[in-house]
Amino acid sequence: MSRRGTGPRLAVNPITCLAHGMCAELLPEYVKLDEWGYPILNGDPLPPDLVAHAKRAVADCPTLALRLDPTS
Amino acid sequence: MNGPILWYAARSTGIVSLLLLTGTVLLGVLGPLRVGSPAWPRFALAGLHRNISLLTLAVLGVHAATVVVDSYVPFRPVDAFVPFLGAYQPLWTGLGVAAFDVLIALVVTSLLRQRINLRLWRSLHWLAYLCWPLSLIHALGGGTDAAGSWPLLLGVLCALAVLAAVIWRIAARRRLAGRVV
Ligand code: SF4
């Protein structure tokens, strides 16, 4: 990945995620879906220009399974 | 204030909010079924669900305000929020006011969804299935147009649409047994 960032990292709670797939629509740069519709996240720190999109994906997840963890 | 303009405004905002609320409910019922297409992705449908619900609330605010302002009906500001208190058609109006209160609760908890317990939000959100029929009964029973043919037809169409969506959702849940939809 050439676009390394220092921002927060995406994480998903695999228990509460119900494969709504909304996150992959809102942040395709960092979220792909597996064949069952569950997200495969890129766990690298987000570049600054994607943080706002990531926040939107987190807020719009129907089960609030997606979160942003600060990079320590 | 008095006069037919207010009465027209109350009726038209009532009908429009019933249509908007029906649209909100349809999008809400179908949302978890993962309907969507490249042109209408799910996040757009979810955004539409939210925005139409906000619009519904705004139009309902005008609906209630016109009835309060219209001195022809004895309807005080407090009657717009506390059901079954007013002197004007207490049953039909009260049902509408109850639905209004439920809708306010649904919108507020949804706007705060990230800050409150998700289980609480979800259980409260089932009240949408109470809010919408209350509104429909309020419209058909209390609406002074309801006996007319097209408002009645509109109500029946709204009911059929929501019924079809709910049946679709129940059928989909059976198919995906075990997965919560
Ligand atoms: S939007 Fe939420 S529920 Fe849907 S796939 Fe992403 S993390 Fe899972």
Side-chain angles (χ1 to χ4, degrees), chain B residues 35-110:
Chain B
V35 283
S37 67
W40 285 100
R42 287 174 204 154
F43 76 85
L45 294 173
L48 212 54
H49 173 65
R50 177 179 50 215
N51 292 341
I52 295 182
S53 73
L54 292 173
L55 194 61
T56 310
L57 201 57
V59 178
L60 273 179
V62 179
H63 178 58
T66 47
V67 185
V68 169
V69 171
D70 192 343
S71 51
Y72 185 75
V73 281
F75 192 72
R76 300 159 298 166
V78 60
D79 298 331
F81 295 98
V82 185
F84 309 114
L85 204 63
Y88 176 71
Q89 293 202 16
L91 175 64
W92 300 129
T93 311
L95 294 175
V97 173
F100 186 42
D101 289 340
V102 173
L103 186 66
I104 293 175
L106 290 174
V107 168
V108 169
T109 50
S110 292

Side-chain angles (χ1 to χ4, degrees), chain B residues 131-158:
Chain B
C131 177
W132 179 80
L134 285 181
S135 314
L136 186 67
I137 298 171
H138 159 78
L140 293 181
T144 45
D145 297 295
S149 52
W150 70 264
L152 185 65
L153 182 68
L154 222 54
V156 171
L157 287 179
C158 286

Side-chain angles (χ1 to χ4, degrees), chain A:
Chain A
M1 245 270 163
S2 53
R3 305 172 67 215
R4 284 234 169 259
T6 52
R9 302 163 190 266
L10 278 177
V12 67
N13 178 339
I15 313 270
T16 49
C17 169
L18 291 176
H20 283 282
M22 215 100 89
C23 49
E25 290 176 347
L26 287 166
L27 196 67
E29 295 90 340
Y30 267 60
V31 185
K32 300 272 170 285
L33 296 181
D34 70 12
E35 56 181 312
W36 305 102
Y38 285 91
I40 304 168
L41 304 179
N42 178 341
D44 292 338
L46 289 152
D49 56 323
L50 286 182
V51 172
H53 293 281
K55 284 190 178 147
R56 161 116 197 249
V58 167
D60 280 8
C61 169
T63 62
L64 297 183
L66 197 66
R67 61 171 198 272
L68 276 177
D69 289 339
T71 302
S72 46

